[in-house]
Structure formats: C-alpha cells, structure tokens
C-alpha cells in the first residue's frame, strides 16, 4: 500500500473536483460578506433605473409559477401590471427572471434573496477566470486572478444590485470556456453545450448577442474548416434558433422600442475611446500589470493557443458591440467581459515573459505576482459607488401596515416610482396587495426612456379632481433637494399644498438628520353637511 497507487487518485480528485469547488465557495462567501457589510441587503432599489424592473419582473414570474394558472401568461402579466406597473419582460429576454423567479419559490421574495443570484453569477465568473488562468499559470495564480476580478469596483457594484449584467458576464465567459473545449474536442456534446451557453448569454440580455459569433470566429481563425461539416458545429445554430429565434420574433417590436436612433460620436471616435474606457475599470496598479502582460503576448506569438484566441475574440466582440451599438461608453458594465478577458490574457502574458524559467520556478513566480496583485486589489473591496440612502422601506411599511389602505390605490412619488413599487412587491405577503399608480403614466405620458413627454393636466385642481375620480387613497411625496421636477410633479405638489383639508399629511420621514423630505398624504374628504 506504500506504492502511492491510492495517493495519486486522491490527489487527482482534489485537483479536479474538490479544489475548484472550494474556490467557487470562497468567491461566493466573499461576495455575500461584501453585500452584507456594505448594506446592499437593506438598500433601496435605486442602484440604477433598471433595478426595480428586474426585481418586479422576477417576482411576477414567481407569482405566475405559484398561481398554477399557466395557460395565459399574457393575461396574468397584464393583470399584474395593473398593480405593480414597473416591469418590462419582453423588452428584456426572460432568462434572468426565470432563474430568479424559481429561486424566489424556494427562498422567498426579498432583496437579499435576489442578490444571491447576483453573487452566484459573479462568483461563477471569477471561477471561470480561475479555470482559464490555471491552465497556464497554475492554481494559485488562477485563484488570485479570480479574486482580482471580484475586487474591481464595477464588478462589486453590480454584484450588490439586482441587475442582469453579472449573469451576462458569467454566460459570456462560460461560452468562451466551452468554445475552447469544443475546439479541443469537437464532439456533439461539447458543441451543444457551447451553443446552449451562447443562447443563455443572449437570453439574459441582448448585449450578449456577439457571443454567438465567437465559436465560428475561432474556428475560422484556426482554419479548421472541416469542423463546419461536423455535427458539433451544425448543432450550435440549431440551439440558438430554438432558444433565441422564437423569443426574438415574438418580442421583436418590444426589443427595439425606445432605443436611441443614433450613436454619440463616430465609429472611429468611439473605437479610439474604447481602450481608455476598458482600462478605467482597473485600479492603476492592476491596469499597469495587466498591460505589461498583454505586451508579453504581443511580443511572443508562440504563446498563443486556442484558449487565448477565444478569449481575445470575446473581448473584441464586446468592444465591437459597444462601439457599433447606441449604448454609451459611459456604461462600463457592458465592458465587464473585456475586463475579465484582459485579466486572463494578462496572466498568460506574464507566463510567456517567464517562459525561460523552469516550470516549478515559473509557477512560483506567477503565484507571487498573483499574491501581490490580489493584495493590491483587496484594498478596493467595498470601494464602489453605492446608491443614496432613502427611507423607502419605512414609507412602504407604514402604508402596508395600515389595514385601512389594503387593496387601495396608492400613488407613488414621481421621482422614485420604480424603487417604491419594487419595495411594495418585496414587502407584500399576499400579492397583489395594492393597486399602485405611477404619476408619469396617470398624470402624463412618455415612452420607456422618458421621451415624447406630455402632461395631461394644466392646473392643480384638475389633478385633484382626477385623483378623486379614480379613487386614489394615498399619495407618497418626496421633496427633492434640487427642486427640479417635471410639470405633472409640480402640479401634484401644488395640489397637495392647496388642499390640506382633503389630502391630510399622515406621516413624514427623515432622509437626512433634521430634514424631512418623505411624506404620506391620505385622502379624507369632508363629510357632506346635513
């Protein structure tokens, strides 16, 4: 028994299964601790205007599945929108909502539960970076590379919000990793998995559309034209057609509704600005180190292989998408796949710089470099832009806890429509509990992006009569510090100020010490004289 025959399988099991699984758990626990320590679990849904819509869309899917009435989803969605009018399933693809909705069935509805999905996706992305770097630089350097990704402020920001970008990043990296597997072993199974992961990236958000081109581009780059006739290649467009094509045709008009008609700046200008936008994602020390690694790959062409080619194509595809699309370069979340790709390429470049050293010495040097970079990256944990603190949870709790307002029509604050509606959905024990009204839809008109604005009323009296006619019981008002508001919001504010005997202030809340800027007004009409 001392010949090591049992020891070798044990080491192989640890290397292939136990170690990668443990690293994923470490990444996930790190993100959960980060969310808890930065207050993300209790934050309002105001990290980004899309966040409330993603949360409410997921809650709607959960309630649809729990209802058992799965025959008419359109009718269910229309009825749901009458109560929680702030979701856009169809404008966005459905995968995030399906995954999060199923999770809500298991774990319950809440912001913390939704953030577990963001943490899992970000941890999965870091784990894929670990896997890709490990192949060339060793497990220790791979672990540090994944840790570096999680320490990027932009990754932390979206891992602490109910957004789809972390899931797009995970499926994009997964598609790249599976493309490498398919090139190395062009089986039907590997081809199907590659196509499925590309499909998942696109069905999470259309910004992942470029991922579908990566397998074909890698095949052409290596001139493996014979694979075009193999079932493993032919199955990929079939999977994409079934997974994406039917949904895209069904929701074609919704997907393009409201998008800007043109880009800001010319293609050349945007292309010139893209590298700066990418490296702006990295703290200075990490950015310089990654750039030095990329220089090594440029100078040492022999270091290239299918893995690095695919990762490079992924980053070029992401840059190409943001350059040609109407998305602005001031939206760095679209460049997260590029940042992850550069970390992988950077470590591969450093491995090529150290290629003259022995394998053991090279791995030790790369591990030391990774440890230094991880230590530098750790100083940026918690260093990301967080949403402003607002007493939205307390406001909603005061309304939801009043039995006299159960099932009533509630008009939410004009400048916090989404966060308030999302909080109502999160706190409701039995949905729908209220019929929520958006001032921007009831008192005015505009499209999804706020264009083509038109106010329906001219005087506060007309607003008062309209709210009375539709049976509004409560109005939530927030007084913004800068005083800037649209016409319908100004009319609503004047109506509340001019009718204190009908619209009585029921409660007020502090946004900052000594400044009460949140108010609840209840409709209490005078009793008719006898």
């Amino acid at each position: 028994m001392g010949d090591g025959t049992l020891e070798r399988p044990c080491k192989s099991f640890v290397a292939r299964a136990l170690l990668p699984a443990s690293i994923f758990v470490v990444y996930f626990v790190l993100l959960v601790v980060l969310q808890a320590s930065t207050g993300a679990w209790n934050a309002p849904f105001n990290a980004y205007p899309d966040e409330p819509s993603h949360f409410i869309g997921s809650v709607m899917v959960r309630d649809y599945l729990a209802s058992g009435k799965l025959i008419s989803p359109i009718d269910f969605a229309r009825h749901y929108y009458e109560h929680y009018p702030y979701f856009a399933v169809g404008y966005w693809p459905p995968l995030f909502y399906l995954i999060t909705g199923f999770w809500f069935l298991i774990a319950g509805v809440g912001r913390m539960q939704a953030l577990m999905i963001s943490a899992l996706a970000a941890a999965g992305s870091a784990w894929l970076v670990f896997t890709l770097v490990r192949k060339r630089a060793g497990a220790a350097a791979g672990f540090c590379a994944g840790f570096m990704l999680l320490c990027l402020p932009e990754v932390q920001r979206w891992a602490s919000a109910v957004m789809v970008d972390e899931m797009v990043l995970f499926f994009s990296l997964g598609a790249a990793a599976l493309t490498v597997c398919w090139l190395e072993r062009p089986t039907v199974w590997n081809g199907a998995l590659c196509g499925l992961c590309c499909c998942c990236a696109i069905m999470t958000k259309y910004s992942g559309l470029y991922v579908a081109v990566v397998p074909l581009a890698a095949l052409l780059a290596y001139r493996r034209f014979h694979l075009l006739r193999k079932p493993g290649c032919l199955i990929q467009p079939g999977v994409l057609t079934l997974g994406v094509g039917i949904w895209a045709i069904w929701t074609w008009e919704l997907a393009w509704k409201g998008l800007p008609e043109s880009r800001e700046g010319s293609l050349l200008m945007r292309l010139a600005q893209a590298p700066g936008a990418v490296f702006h994602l990295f703290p200075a020390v990490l950015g310089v180190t990654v750039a030095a690694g990329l220089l090594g790959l440029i100078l040492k062409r022999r270091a290239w292989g299918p893995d690095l080619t695919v990762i490079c194509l992924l980053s070029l595809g992401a840059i190409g998408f943001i350059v040609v699309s109407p998305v602005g370069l001031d939206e760095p979340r679209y460049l997260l796949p590029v940042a992850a790709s550069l970390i992988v390429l950077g470590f591969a470049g450093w491995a090529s710089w150290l290629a003259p050293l022995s394998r053991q010495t090279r791995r030790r040097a790369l591990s030391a470099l990774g440890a230094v970079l991880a230590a530098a990256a750790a100083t940026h944990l918690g260093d990301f832009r967080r949403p402003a603190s607002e007493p939205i949870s307390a406001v909603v709790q005061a309304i939801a806890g009043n039995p006299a307002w159960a099932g009533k029509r509630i008009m939410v604050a004009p400048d916090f429509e989404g966060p308030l509606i999302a909080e109502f959905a999160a706190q409701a024990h039995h949905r729908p509990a209220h019929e929520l009204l958006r001032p921007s839809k009831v008192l005015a008109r505009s499209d999804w992006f706020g264009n083509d604005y038109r106010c329906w009323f001219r005087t506060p009296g007309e607003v008062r009569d309209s709210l009375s006619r539709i049976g509004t019981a409560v109005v939530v008002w927030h007084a913004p510090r800068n005083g800037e508001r649209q016409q319908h919001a100004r009319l609503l504010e004047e109506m509340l100020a001019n009718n204190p005997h009908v619209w009585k202030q029921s409660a007020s809340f502090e946004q900052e010490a000594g400044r009460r800027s949140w108010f609840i007004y209840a409709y209490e009409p005078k009793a008719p004289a006898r």
Side-chain angles (χ1 to χ4, degrees), residues 258-263 326:
L259 285 177
E261 296 181 357
S262 61
R263 298 176 300 271

Side-chain angles (χ1 to χ4, degrees), residues 134-486:
R134 179 188 187 186
K135 181 177 180 180
R136 290 176 174 265
F143 172 79
C144 295
F147 180 79
M148 284 171 54
L149 177 68
L150 297 183
C151 291
L152 296 183
E154 199 69 15
V155 173
Q156 296 179 64
R157 180 185 179 187
W158 303 119
S160 301
V162 187
M163 295 286 285
V164 303
D165 301 281
E166 297 288 3
M167 191 175 289
V168 175
L169 172 61
F170 169 70
F171 284 124
S172 299
L173 290 174
L178 289 170
T179 299
V180 175
C181 293
W182 173 65
L183 289 175
E184 294 176 348
R185 297 184 61 191
T187 63
V188 175
W189 176 249
N190 285 341
L193 286 178
C194 180
L196 180 61
C197 207
C198 292
C199 175
C200 289
I202 300 168
M203 291 299 283
T204 301
K205 195 174 185 180
Y206 290 128
S207 60
L209 188 63
Y210 67 91
V211 177
V213 185
V214 171
L216 179 61
L219 182 151
L220 297 177
Y222 276 89
R223 299 183 180 181
R224 298 184 181 180
F225 304 116
H226 67 283
L227 294 180
L228 291 171
R229 300 186 299 270
K230 296 290 185 180
C233 181
L234 297 176
I235 198 173
Q236 294 179 33
V239 172
L240 287 170
T241 300
L242 289 175
V244 179
I246 297 174
W247 175 266
I249 293 172
W250 187 36
T251 62
W252 181 258
E253 292 184 0
L254 289 174
W256 296 96
K257 190 176 181 62
L259 285 177
E261 296 181 357
S262 61
R263 298 176 300 271
E264 294 183 3
S266 65
L267 284 176
L268 289 177
M269 180 182 298
R270 290 168 67 88
L271 189 61
Q273 293 173 344
V278 172
F279 276 95
H280 188 69
L281 295 171
F282 293 93
V285 175
L286 304 185
V288 170
T289 308
V290 168
L294 295 177
L295 181 61
L297 288 182
I298 294 173
L299 297 178
K300 298 179 181 292
R301 296 183 179 179
R302 292 184 179 181
W304 286 84
D307 56 337
L308 299 188
T309 300
V310 170
I311 293 299
C312 184
L313 289 172
L314 179 72
S315 61
L316 291 176
I319 292 174
F321 166 80
I322 200 169
V323 167
V324 303
S325 71
V327 175
L329 286 168
D330 57 344
E331 293 274 13
R333 56 201 172 98
Y334 290 101
L335 293 171
L336 291 181
V338 185
S341 299
L342 292 186
I343 291 175
V344 174
L345 296 172
F347 271 91
W350 277 102
S352 68
W353 280 120
L354 301 174
L357 303 177
S358 66
R359 177 183 175 86
Q360 185 176 11
T361 304
R362 182 169 66 251
R363 288 293 174 91
R364 289 177 178 174
L366 290 170
S367 299
L369 174 65
V372 172
L373 293 177
T379 62
H380 295 277
L381 279 172
D383 182 19
F384 63 95
R385 188 171 64 184
R386 292 189 276 277
S389 177
E390 302 285 350
I392 292 177
S393 179
V395 172
V396 172
Q397 188 174 4
I399 297 173
N402 190 331
W405 295 334
K408 301 293 185 179
R409 287 186 169 179
I410 314 295
M411 176 164 283
V412 298
D415 52 343
F416 281 91
E417 293 180 347
L420 279 161
I421 296 173
E423 191 64 42
F424 271 105
Q427 291 194 21
H429 297 293
H430 302 285
R431 285 174 298 273
H434 300 89
E435 187 173 343
L436 303 177
L437 305 177
R438 296 176 59 182
S440 63
K441 303 300 181 184
V442 175
L443 307 179
R445 181 197 70 184
S446 63
D447 64 15
W448 178 257
F449 287 87
N451 300 319
D452 300 325
Y453 174 81
R454 178 184 176 185
C455 182
W456 297 121
F457 304 100
R458 293 176 296 177
T459 67
E462 292 178 353
V463 172
R464 178 198 61 211
D465 295 341
S466 176
L467 295 188
S468 175
R469 185 169 55 252
I470 64 177
T472 308
V474 175
V475 170
V476 179
W477 177 257
H478 170 250
R481 180 179 289 276
N482 56 20
E484 296 180 1
R485 54 185 71 89
Q486 291 180 303

Side-chain angles (χ1 to χ4, degrees), residues 76 81 102 121 144 328 371 419 426 439 460 463 513:
F76 185 91
Y81 193 85
F102 272 112
C144 295
V463 172

Side-chain angles (χ1 to χ4, degrees), residues 115-128:
L115 289 180
M116 293 300 103
I117 300 297
S118 298
L120 283 169
S125 301
W127 182 84
L128 287 169

Side-chain angles (χ1 to χ4, degrees), residues 95-134:
L95 187 59
F96 177 87
Y97 310 115
L98 289 171
I99 293 174
T100 310
F102 272 112
W103 172 239
F104 283 164
L105 281 174
I106 300 170
V109 174
R111 180 177 175 83
M112 181 187 72
Q113 292 90 320
L115 289 180
M116 293 300 103
I117 300 297
S118 298
L120 283 169
S125 301
W127 182 84
L128 287 169
V129 168
F130 154 76
T131 302
L132 293 166
V133 171
R134 179 188 187 186

